[in-house]
Amino acid sequence: METWKIVIGIVVLFALGLLVFFDQYCREKYDHAFLSKRALTISMGAMVFLVAGNIYCQIPHRPPKELIAVSWTLFAICAAIFVYIIYENIKATNYWVGLAGSAIQIPLLAFIAM
């Protein structure tokens, strides 16, 4: 069991090193940072809408149409914010680097925002 903990620790450190290397590469080449305070703030805003929609779904004694309208609207706002992040990343870099950075950035910053 101790061996697996060491292996997992090494893999996590290697992944963090690659993440820092990728972000540094994008800062130097495109002058765009994927892991920035602005991106974290925007991700926090998106997660607020996601959590609010989830909480609203769990409120009892609501008409089904109201639950669908309100909760899905909050989920759609969250999705629109994440699409905006992807758009900004692609606009600042190129298509493939923007998509790859967004695929790393969104789950990581959403996890940190939670």
Side-chain angles (χ1 to χ4, degrees), residues 34-52:
F34 285 100
L35 305 174
S36 63
K37 290 179 188 176
R38 180 179 182 273
L40 179 61
T41 305
I42 293 172
S43 294
M44 281 184 186
M47 293 310 292
V48 165
F49 285 107
L50 182 68
V51 170

Side-chain angles (χ1 to χ4, degrees), residues 8-88:
I8 290 172
I10 291 171
V11 168
V12 167
L13 288 175
F14 182 71
L16 287 175
L18 285 177
L19 185 66
V20 169
F21 177 74
F22 178 73
D23 198 48
Q24 187 65 29
Y25 167 77
C26 291
R27 284 180 193 206
E28 291 172 1
K29 183 165 183 173
Y30 300 107
D31 196 29
H32 177 72
F34 285 100
L35 305 174
S36 63
K37 290 179 188 176
R38 180 179 182 273
L40 179 61
T41 305
I42 293 172
S43 294
M44 281 184 186
M47 293 310 292
V48 165
F49 285 107
L50 182 68
V51 170
N54 191 17
I55 290 172
Y56 196 83
C57 282
Q58 297 173 3
I59 296 175
H61 309 298
R62 296 275 185 194
K65 289 183 180 179
E66 181 182 339
L67 278 175
I68 291 172
V70 174
S71 63
W72 283 96
T73 302
L74 292 171
F75 293 147
I77 292 171
C78 173
I81 292 172
F82 283 133
V83 167
Y84 170 75
I85 290 173
I86 294 169
Y87 169 75
E88 286 293 318

Side-chain angles (χ1 to χ4, degrees), residues 1-11:
M1 188 65 178
E2 295 298 321
T3 306
W4 284 107
K5 290 180 183 178
I6 293 171
V7 170
I8 290 172
I10 291 171
V11 168

